[in-house]
Amino acid sequence: MTTHISPAENSPSEKEIDLLDILVIISARIKFIVLLTLLGAFIGWLTTFGIPKIFNSTSTLNVEAFKQDEKYPKFKSEVIVSLINNNQEFKELTQDSRFGDFSKITPSVSAKDRLLIITTSASAPSKAVELNEKVLETVYRLTAAQGTKAAQLDSIIESEKNRLAQISQTLLDVEKSKSARSEIDVRLINNLLNYKLERELSIARLQDELEGVTENNIIQAPSVPTHPTPGKEKLNIAIYAGIGLFIAFFFTFFQFFIKSMRNTPGNKEKIDTIAKNIGLKK
């Protein structure tokens, strides 16, 4: 006996949902999809009211002096950044209740001009400025030489000043001399002037090392923020809207699937039986 197979039963196009079928399904429930998406966006907008407003205050310092001479110690901007990120005193500042629960200290170095930028964040403009000022005060204190090192630097500076005074006096004596200037005299004066310049630079470097970072290094004092920093409100709304859209599509296609199953011969009785077994239908 030969079994006849209908071409319609064997055709994949009859068993699969093509793009037009999907568009038909979506268009039939477009109001529901749009409404649920807007509802999700509205809920996301409501949640933005719970996001705290954060204000930033920024100060700028130039801590890299005498960049042309690498032989002498100097402050590197990265050293101060590391100090702020790792020292316990700065961590305690962010935990201080005066500055709120969302206080933060962010040091950085500008790539173009090597300036040190300190940004502080807090829940109010005045708190952000006060936190920035406290950070600067702590940097001043921690970078200044203390104890034995300070005494050694004071001693070296005093010695350099004595040498500078001797050189200056020698130059005055040479200038006052009425004897005819020979080539040797001119060479001697040039050597003394160069030596004097070296001593002056040495004293300046040692003085910087003794004092550390000071107010003289400030280029821009802590700024007073007038507006909060841009938050994640738009992202929050977009996420909730996406969740609403996903739920809408899920229910739309789930309902279509159930209807398709019920319309298939023999499946209606099975679905009713399953509903009775789980208590959804009497």
Side-chain angles (χ1 to χ4, degrees):
M1 180 177 180
T2 304
T3 304
H4 176 71
I5 300 176
S6 172
E9 295 176 356
N10 215 25
S11 174
S13 61
E14 295 295 329
K15 298 181 180 181
E16 297 178 1
I17 301 176
D18 61 16
L19 180 60
L20 287 177
D21 292 331
I22 294 175
L23 293 177
V24 169
I25 296 169
I26 294 175
S27 63
R29 302 281 291 175
I30 189 65
K31 291 183 179 180
F32 171 74
I33 294 172
V34 172
L35 181 62
L36 210 58
T37 302
L38 292 177
L39 179 62
F42 178 71
I43 295 173
W45 177 72
L46 290 177
T47 61
T48 60
F49 289 98
I51 300 176
K53 296 185 182 298
I54 303 298
F55 296 85
N56 288 343
S57 175
T58 302
S59 57
T60 307
L61 301 90
N62 182 13
V63 300
E64 296 194 2
F66 303 104
K67 292 189 294 184
Q68 70 276 15
D69 193 344
E70 296 290 341
K71 294 186 297 183
Y72 294 91
K74 66 182 180 183
F75 282 107
K76 280 281 195 180
S77 295
E78 288 83 1
V79 174
I80 308 299
V81 169
S82 178
L83 175 69
I84 294 174
N85 286 333
N86 298 305
N87 189 276
Q88 185 62 29
E89 291 194 36
F90 295 100
K91 295 179 181 179
E92 292 174 357
L93 282 176
T94 59
Q95 298 169 359
D96 195 323
S97 58
R98 291 177 298 170
F99 307 120
D101 296 330
F102 302 96
S103 59
K104 186 179 179 181
I105 304 171
T106 308
S108 60
V109 181
S110 62
K112 183 178 180 180
D113 43 23
R114 304 285 306 160
L115 296 177
L116 173 65
I117 301 172
I118 299 176
T119 302
T120 52
S121 306
S123 56
S126 58
K127 292 180 179 180
V129 174
E130 184 181 358
L131 177 58
N132 205 303
E133 291 173 345
K134 289 293 183 182
V135 171
L136 290 175
E137 291 175 6
T138 307
V139 169
Y140 298 157
R141 177 169 51 80
L142 293 179
T143 56
Q146 300 175 4
T148 305
K149 183 177 180 180
Q152 291 175 346
L153 288 171
D154 276 327
S155 176
I156 297 172
I157 290 172
E158 188 63 30
S159 176
E160 290 291 319
K161 286 181 177 180
N162 291 334
R163 293 180 185 177
L164 181 61
Q166 294 174 2
I167 297 169
S168 299
Q169 185 61 49
T170 303
L171 281 170
L172 287 175
D173 293 341
V174 173
E175 289 292 336
K176 289 179 181 179
S177 175
K178 295 181 180 180
S179 59
R181 298 284 178 85
S182 65
E183 184 180 345
I184 297 177
D185 293 331
V186 174
R187 196 180 306 167
L188 175 61
I189 292 173
N190 288 336
N191 289 337
L192 288 172
L193 288 172
N194 289 333
Y195 193 62
K196 179 183 178 183
L197 179 61
E198 288 179 3
R199 301 281 66 75
E200 290 173 343
L201 289 173
S202 177
I203 291 171
R205 296 185 190 101
L206 292 167
Q207 198 69 40
D208 282 342
E209 188 177 354
L210 176 64
E211 296 174 354
V213 178
T214 66
E215 293 181 355
N216 295 329
N217 296 106
I218 290 183
I219 294 178
Q220 175 191 313
S223 60
V224 180
T226 56
H227 301 285
T229 57
K232 298 181 179 179
E233 290 84 359
K234 293 182 180 179
L235 177 61
N236 211 46
I237 293 172
I239 290 174
Y240 276 86
I243 294 173
L245 181 64
F246 173 79
I247 294 173
F249 274 123
F250 174 80
F251 278 106
T252 296
F253 284 97
F254 181 75
Q255 186 181 33
F256 172 78
F257 173 75
I258 295 298
K259 285 184 178 179
S260 298
M261 291 288 292
R262 291 180 67 88
N263 292 333
T264 303
N267 283 348
K268 185 177 185 302
E269 292 77 7
K270 295 178 181 179
I271 294 174
D272 291 339
T273 302
I274 294 172
K276 289 179 182 180
N277 290 338
I278 61 177
L280 296 178
K281 190 174 182 180
K282 294 182 179 181

